[in-house]
Amino acid sequence: MTLLIGLACLAVAGLEMVMAFVVGPREREALRREMKSTYEERLRKLEAAQRKDEIFETEQETRLHTLEDDLGGLRLRVVRVERDLQARVGGLRQDLQLATGRVTALEADRDRINGLQRRLAQAFQAVDGVVADLLQHTLDQLDRAATETLGERAPEVQTVRGAVAGGTSDLQGALVKIFEQCISRHDLEQRFKVSMGGTRPQVLYYLSGRNPRWLRQHFGDALESLRSDMDSPGEEPAEDDVAALRSLLLAVNATTEGFAQIGPLVIVRTPETLLCGVLTLAECRDFDTAALAGDPAAAAVRLRTLPEHRFFDLTRWPPRFPVEEQPGDPSSIC
């Protein structure tokens, strides 16, 4: 700006020198005034422009200071954010290390538990094998005892087979209870009892306390009296053991397909019939209780081969009794 003013002064001085030789005093005075006015106008414009430049520079400096302050604040915030992130990353790293340690420990525990489960499964298999062998050994001994009981020289402790089977688990539960009450009323004790699975669950028994010859005679007489009741029902109350047998017959009849055996006595329920039979000692030896208990139809065919005086078709017998005597409620059992 100073350089421009100096150049303007030189231009005015040079112009005055030219006018001193070219024009006269009046023209020179008028021209001087005009030039002075123009010079002053331009000088004012230059000064105004200089002031604007100074104001602009001041504003720019102010903005620059403001930007520097803002930049400083941003830098401080960035530093704080970096510190916060570093602290968080450090915490996350520690958490990750702890989680990794826990996962490693869990994997080790899982491997140990899997090993324990394998050893436990092997132990269970071994125990199952021992129990199965022991059960089979016990059953074999009891079968030999039952066979000896049916022989000519009966042992001191006589053993007979028994079994009960029903169509459903609930009905079988009631049937088992009534069956065990019946054998108790006939002075029979349970030497051994084993539940067998399958589509038709069954329970096998080995019983002692009564001679099989006495049981054959007793059950034959009781069933003969029941067969006679179908034509002329008796009015005298039955004895406890006969009443228990009646309850067992009604309980088996309440099943769709059922089976019960007490030594020489066999009771079979098919969808159409209720059959009973009394076996001889030789027939008891040949009667496969475990197989026929789960197959009432085959057991019914086997009973139909018996002679008439030891085969009893009681299909028409249960309806002669009142409904309240049916075995749904154990309290109704005599």
Side-chain angles (χ1 to χ4, degrees):
M1 183 62 68
T2 305
L3 179 59
L4 293 176
I5 295 174
L7 292 176
C9 292
L10 291 175
V12 172
L15 186 58
E16 288 180 352
M17 291 177 63
V18 172
M19 287 188 300
F21 293 99
V22 176
V23 298
R26 292 183 180 178
E27 291 80 1
R28 193 170 48 251
E29 184 64 24
L31 184 60
R32 186 182 294 110
R33 285 197 297 271
E34 182 178 355
M35 291 180 61
K36 183 178 180 181
S37 177
T38 301
Y39 170 75
E40 291 176 352
E41 181 66 24
R42 290 183 178 179
L43 185 59
R44 284 196 298 272
K45 290 181 178 180
L46 289 173
E47 290 176 351
Q50 184 177 8
R51 285 195 298 273
K52 289 182 179 180
D53 291 340
E54 292 175 354
I55 293 172
F56 178 76
E57 290 178 358
T58 303
E59 291 177 351
Q60 294 301 318
E61 289 179 357
T62 302
R63 290 181 180 177
L64 181 60
H65 291 313
T66 302
L67 290 175
E68 289 177 351
D69 293 340
D70 293 341
L71 182 59
L74 288 174
R75 288 176 178 173
L76 183 59
R77 291 178 62 184
V78 168
V79 171
R80 291 177 179 174
V81 170
E82 288 179 351
R83 292 177 180 175
D84 188 17
L85 289 176
Q86 289 177 354
R88 293 185 180 181
V89 168
L92 290 175
R93 186 179 293 109
Q94 292 178 355
D95 293 341
L96 180 60
Q97 291 176 351
L98 291 175
T100 303
R102 290 179 181 176
V103 170
T104 303
L106 288 175
E107 290 178 350
D109 291 341
R110 182 187 61 185
D111 295 338
R112 185 168 59 256
I113 291 172
N114 289 337
L116 291 175
Q117 287 179 342
R118 287 192 296 270
R119 290 194 293 273
L120 186 60
Q122 294 172 356
F124 278 145
Q125 290 177 355
V127 171
D128 287 342
V130 172
V131 171
D133 292 341
L134 180 60
L135 177 61
Q136 188 60 48
H137 176 72
T138 303
L139 293 178
D140 292 341
Q141 286 188 330
L142 291 171
D143 285 334
R144 284 195 295 270
T147 302
E148 293 173 358
T149 299
L150 300 174
E152 294 181 358
R153 296 181 179 179
E156 182 178 353
V157 178
Q158 301 187 22
T159 303
V160 296
R161 296 183 180 90
V164 61
T168 62
S169 58
D170 293 338
L171 185 56
Q172 188 196 15
L175 183 59
V176 166
K177 186 173 183 179
I178 295 171
F179 176 85
E180 292 181 353
Q181 289 178 347
C182 182
I183 62 177
S184 177
R185 294 291 173 86
H186 285 82
D187 298 328
L188 291 168
E189 298 179 356
Q190 299 182 31
R191 288 195 62 184
F192 196 74
K193 171 183 175 182
V194 57
S195 298
M196 310 294 289
T199 56
R200 184 177 287 104
Q202 55 185 282
V203 184
L204 300 181
Y205 293 84
Y206 291 87
L207 310 171
S208 64
R210 281 289 188 178
N211 186 292
R213 293 175 176 80
W214 181 90
L215 291 174
R216 185 186 64 181
Q217 183 65 39
H218 172 74
F219 287 133
D221 294 342
L223 291 176
E224 186 64 41
S225 66
L226 293 178
R227 181 160 53 185
S228 300
D229 285 345
M230 289 192 295
D231 298 325
S232 56
E235 297 180 357
E236 295 182 0
E239 297 181 359
D240 289 346
D241 53 353
V242 177
L245 177 58
R246 286 182 175 181
S247 297
L248 178 59
L249 287 168
L250 293 172
V252 175
N253 185 70
T255 65
T256 303
E257 289 184 308
F259 178 92
Q261 179 184 358
I262 304 176
L265 172 66
V266 178
I267 305 171
V268 177
R269 176 71 166 97
T270 67
E272 297 83 14
T273 59
L274 175 65
L275 306 179
C276 300
V278 179
L279 308 177
T280 64
L281 300 187
E283 290 168 344
C284 286
R285 286 194 295 267
D286 297 333
F287 193 84
D288 191 348
T289 300
L292 294 176
D295 190 355
V301 173
R302 177 70 178 82
L303 292 184
R304 290 185 183 277
T305 63
L306 299 177
E308 182 179 358
H309 68 282
R310 290 191 287 110
F311 172 71
F312 302 87
D313 187 347
L314 300 181
T315 306
R316 294 187 298 108
W317 170 75
R320 304 187 65 86
F321 287 86
V323 177
E324 58 267 15
E325 292 188 8
Q326 296 297 324
D329 183 5
S331 63
S332 66
I333 302 172
C334 296

